[in-house]
C-alpha cells in the first residue's frame, strides 16, 4: 500500500495564479483532511471531508476550495494565489471520525511570489 | 474554539536522559489527545494517543499522561536515543474541531 500520496511535491506560483493539489489514499478511509504548516504555528486545518461528496471548513478555509468526488481523492484548490499562502501543505486521512489516527502524506511545499 | 499551547518549543537532552513535553488546552469537551512525531522532510506520524477516560498510557519508552481537571497532558520519552530527534506535536480534538500545538523540536545528543 502506498498510504497517502500528494502531488506535486514542490510548486512555485506567481500571485494571482491558480493550482490544484491532489491527495490520494488507498486505505479506504472515510475522513480526509488538508492542513497547512507554517513555522512556529504547527498544523492548521483548512478543510476536511467526512465521506465521498462531502466537505467542510476547518480553522483557516479562506482562499481555498476543496472537492471529494471520489472516496480515495481529496483535492485542494487555490483560485487566486497570494504570498500569504506560501506554506507546506499536508493531506491526511483517517478510518473513522477525527478521534482515530490520521495518516499523513509527505507534503507539498508551495511558494507564492 | 479550542486553543492548544505546547512547551517547550525546543528541547535538547543527552542520549539516555528523559524528555518531557507539555501541552495545555482550553476546551474541556476535548476528548482525544494524540501526539505526532515529524522527521525532517516527512509528514507527521502518530506515536501515541490518549482518550479522555484514561489518565495514563504507556508504549515502551513513550508515555502520555492526561490531567482533565487541569486541562493539560504531557509526553514522556525515557532512555532517549538519537533517532528520537524530531519535531513533536500535540493535539486536542473534540468531534471535528482539531487544534495542534506549535511543536517541540527535540534534539538528542549522542
Amino acid at each position: 500500500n502506498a498510504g497517502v500520496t500528494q502531488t506535486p511535491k514542490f510548486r512555485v506560483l506567481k500571485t494571482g495564479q491558480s493550482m490544484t493539489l491532489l491527495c490520494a489514499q488507498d486505505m479506504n478511509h472515510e475522513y480526509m483532511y488538508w492542513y497547512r504548516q507554517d513555522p512556529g504555528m504547527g498544523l492548521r486545518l483548512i478543510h476536511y471531508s467526512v465521506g465521498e461528496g462531502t466537505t467542510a471548513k476547518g480553522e483557516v478555509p479562506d482562499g481555498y476550495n476543496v472537492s471529494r468526488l471520489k472516496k480515495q481523492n481529496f483535492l485542494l484548490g487555490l483560485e487566486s494565489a497570494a504570498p500569504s499562502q506560501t506554506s507546506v501543505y499536508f493531506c491526511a486521512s483517517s478510518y473513522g471520525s477525527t478521534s482515530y489516527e490520521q495518516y499523513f502524506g509527505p507534503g507539498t511545499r508551495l511558494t507564492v511570489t | 474554539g479550542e486553543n492548544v499551547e505546547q512547551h517547550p518549543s525546543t528541547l535538547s537532552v543527552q542520549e539516555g536522559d528523559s524528555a518531557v513535553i507539555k501541552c495545555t488546552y482550553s476546551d474541556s469537551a476535548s476528548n482525544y489527545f494524540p501526539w505526532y512525531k515529524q522527521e525532517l522532510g516527512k509528514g507527521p506520524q502518530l506515536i501515541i494517543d490518549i482518550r479522555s477516560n484514561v489518565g495514563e498510557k504507556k508504549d515502551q519508552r513513550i508515555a502520555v499522561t492526561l490531567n482533565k481537571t487541569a486541562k493539560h497532558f504531557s509526553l514522556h520519552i525515557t532512555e532517549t536515543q538519537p533517532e528520537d530527534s524530531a519535531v513533536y506535536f500535540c493535539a486536542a480534538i473534540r468531534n471535528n474541531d482539531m487544534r495542534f500545538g506549535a511543536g517541540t523540536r527535540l534534539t538528542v545528543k549522542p
Side-chain angles (χ1 to χ4, degrees):
Chain A
N1 289 347
V4 179
T5 58
Q6 292 182 232
T7 309
K9 288 183 173 19
F10 303 93
R11 186 73 186 269
V12 178
L13 287 179
K14 294 185 186 298
T15 297
Q17 288 185 321
S18 63
M19 77 163 295
T20 300
L21 282 67
L22 172 64
C23 176
Q25 53 96 4
D26 61 2
M27 296 173 283
N28 202 34
H29 285 169
E30 290 293 333
Y31 280 58
M32 296 188 74
Y33 316 83
W34 275 108
Y35 293 92
R36 59 179 289 172
Q37 184 175 40
D38 302 295
M41 300 189 72
L43 292 158
R44 292 183 292 168
L45 183 65
I46 304 171
H47 286 281
Y48 65 98
S49 169
V50 303
E52 181 178 318
T54 74
T55 62
K57 294 180 180 180
E59 182 184 355
V60 290
D62 294 342
Y64 305 95
N65 56 76
V66 288
S67 64
R68 183 101 181 265
L69 298 179
K70 293 182 179 181
K71 185 177 184 178
Q72 63 268 34
N73 295 338
F74 195 28
L75 278 62
L76 177 71
L78 286 72
E79 291 185 349
S80 180
S84 60
Q85 294 178 304
T86 294
S87 188
V88 180
Y89 292 85
F90 287 98
C91 175
S93 69
S94 66
Y95 170 71
S97 72
T98 55
S99 297
Y100 286 87
E101 175 178 2
Q102 293 186 27
Y103 293 80
F104 284 82
T108 295
R109 183 174 295 276
L110 174 65
T111 302
V112 183
T113 62
Chain B
E2 175 65 276
N3 183 48
V4 177
E5 293 190 2
Q6 182 172 345
H7 299 281
S9 57
T10 61
L11 180 60
S12 181
V13 300
Q14 287 295 133
E15 182 177 359
D17 287 351
S18 295
V20 180
I21 303 170
K22 299 181 179 180
C23 287
T24 60
Y25 61 99
S26 60
D27 188 349
S28 57
S30 291
N31 54 22
Y32 176 59
F33 307 91
W35 284 91
Y36 285 85
K37 175 183 180 182
Q38 185 176 26
E39 297 177 341
L40 193 61
K42 296 184 178 180
Q45 186 172 11
L46 182 76
I47 54 171
I48 196 166
D49 57 9
I50 192 167
R51 301 186 189 276
S52 58
N53 58 347
V54 176
E56 184 175 359
K57 184 176 179 181
K58 189 174 182 180
D59 182 5
Q60 300 182 356
R61 297 186 297 109
I62 296 173
V64 56
T65 58
L66 171 65
N67 183 326
K68 286 180 57 181
T69 302
K71 289 189 282 189
H72 68 72
F73 56 111
S74 300
L75 176 71
H76 304 254
I77 305 175
T78 59
E79 300 173 18
T80 53
Q81 301 167 3
E83 51 266 37
D84 294 329
S85 295
V87 179
Y88 292 81
F89 293 97
C90 64
I93 297 173
R94 174 179 70 88
N95 296 328
N96 294 330
D97 187 5
M98 295 173 283
R99 302 299 167 101
F100 283 77
T104 296
R105 183 174 299 278
L106 173 65
T107 303
V108 180
K109 299 178 181 179

